[in-house]
Amino acid sequence: MTSLAERLVPDELWELFRRVVPETVVIRPQGGGRRRAGDRECLAAIVFVATSGCSWRQVPPVFGPAWPTVYRRFARWSQARVWARLHRVILDELGARGELDWSRFAVDSVSIRALKGELTGPNPTDRGKSGSKIHLVVDRNGLPVAVAVSAANTHDSLALQPLIASIPPVRNRRGPRPRRPGKLHGDKGYDYPHLRRWLREHGITPRIARRGTDSSQRLGRHRWVVERTMSWLAGSRRLHRRYERKPEHFLAVTAIATSLINYRRLTK
């Protein structure tokens, strides 16, 4: 019978995670002590928190490690950028199998309410309530390629350049590692001449809706994929509201959610 930890962290995902997690050697000069909690059980508990939306104190004892151990492991891995490396490894596997379509990307953002912490600000779409914003760029199939977080009052246009610059060079089935899409689709929030000029200078054809010209009644033939990916992110209930005080922890939960989306495509 498959345990809960094995269902949340299948063997394929565990093998990918082992490639990025730093090895920990525990040395007790005095000898004795309890056995260190397993990384796979801690990872399963972290995935459970990210997907179910429960607090760290509500981690079920069925996983084995106590919730303080799970949280410390999460904080340590977040500081070591393990989740970003896991996202990169899964992207490399997708690229090697030809699953990533670099012909056109789409970019968008979504705001969520935040309780406290850095990178929060008054949300202009939520009556000025404190919130944070998730910026996402996806490929033609809607697979997340790069993600970033900011305060809710950060204009989308300010996040476009660093978001595109953060796209990693990903393995390809043949030839060099691509890093820039052929075209980039965005809504009217990115309609600025300097952004169009910057994209063209980097070999990207801008396909951005123009204010006062293009209709906003429909998402368009290509931009709908990023809206669908935003709904996939909502499957991680920890992202319904920001509870993490530290921005690196909030970004880590977002990276976990995007990695799970890409992993599901990898196992199809």
Side-chain angles (χ1 to χ4, degrees):
M1 182 176 180
T2 305
S3 64
L4 179 59
E6 292 175 344
R7 290 201 302 269
L8 292 174
V9 184
D11 293 338
E12 298 86 353
L13 180 58
W14 172 237
E15 290 301 323
L16 292 171
F17 186 77
R18 289 180 60 185
R19 292 163 56 180
V20 299
V21 65
E23 184 178 358
T24 302
V25 179
V26 179
I27 300 177
R28 296 187 176 92
Q30 75 278 13
R34 298 180 61 180
R35 182 176 63 88
R36 181 177 181 271
D39 285 342
R40 185 169 186 174
E41 290 75 16
C42 290
L43 175 61
I46 293 171
V47 172
F48 179 82
V49 170
T51 55
S52 68
C54 72
S55 66
W56 294 104
R57 292 179 179 271
Q58 294 175 327
V59 173
V62 67
F63 291 106
W67 76 264
T69 301
V70 176
Y71 178 75
R72 284 195 299 268
R73 203 71 59 89
F74 167 78
R76 188 180 304 118
W77 288 342
S78 299
Q79 185 178 11
R81 296 184 54 82
V82 169
W83 313 113
R85 285 187 284 171
L86 177 63
H87 179 77
R88 172 74 176 274
V89 166
I90 297 177
L91 282 179
D92 278 340
E93 293 294 327
L94 288 170
R97 300 182 186 186
E99 296 287 347
L100 292 177
D101 192 336
W102 292 83
S103 61
R104 61 180 79 245
F105 280 13
V107 61
D108 206 349
S109 66
V110 60
S111 298
I112 63 174
R113 191 170 295 184
L115 298 180
K116 60 186 68 176
E118 300 177 8
L119 293 184
T120 60
N123 187 353
T125 64
D126 190 19
R127 300 172 296 171
K129 300 289 186 179
S130 179
S132 296
K133 183 179 287 188
I134 300 175
H135 304 269
L136 191 67
V137 59
V138 303
D139 79 331
R140 189 170 187 170
N141 300 316
L143 297 177
V145 180
V147 64
V149 298
S150 69
N153 58 341
T154 301
H155 198 276
D156 288 346
S157 61
L158 299 177
L160 179 63
Q161 294 184 22
L163 186 64
I164 299 301
S166 67
I167 296 177
V170 182
R171 289 176 56 190
N172 200 9
R173 179 173 289 182
R174 61 180 65 88
R177 291 173 176 257
R179 190 170 183 176
R180 297 288 182 265
K183 301 176 183 179
L184 181 69
H185 293 263
D187 59 24
K188 299 177 184 179
Y190 305 96
D191 183 23
Y192 289 91
H194 71 279
L195 292 181
R196 295 177 182 273
R197 183 168 56 252
W198 184 85
L199 290 173
R200 291 191 181 97
E201 289 174 354
H202 288 77
I204 303 173
T205 302
R207 290 289 185 263
I208 299 174
R210 297 182 181 274
R211 292 189 296 269
T213 303
D214 296 328
S215 173
S216 58
Q217 298 299 320
R218 299 192 306 167
L219 292 174
R221 295 176 54 193
H222 306 289
R223 281 189 288 131
W224 66 271
V225 294
V226 68
E227 297 288 342
R228 183 185 61 179
T229 306
M230 293 296 184
S231 68
W232 288 346
L233 283 180
S236 295
R237 298 183 63 85
R238 191 74 178 181
L239 294 178
H240 286 194
R241 177 175 295 190
R242 176 181 167 179
Y243 296 98
E244 281 71 28
R245 184 189 301 262
K246 297 182 178 180
E248 58 268 23
H249 290 179
F250 177 59
L251 182 59
V253 175
T254 307
I256 292 172
T258 56
S259 297
L260 292 177
I261 292 173
N262 290 337
Y263 172 73
R264 286 194 291 266
R265 179 59 178 264
L266 190 64
T267 55
K268 280 188 177 180

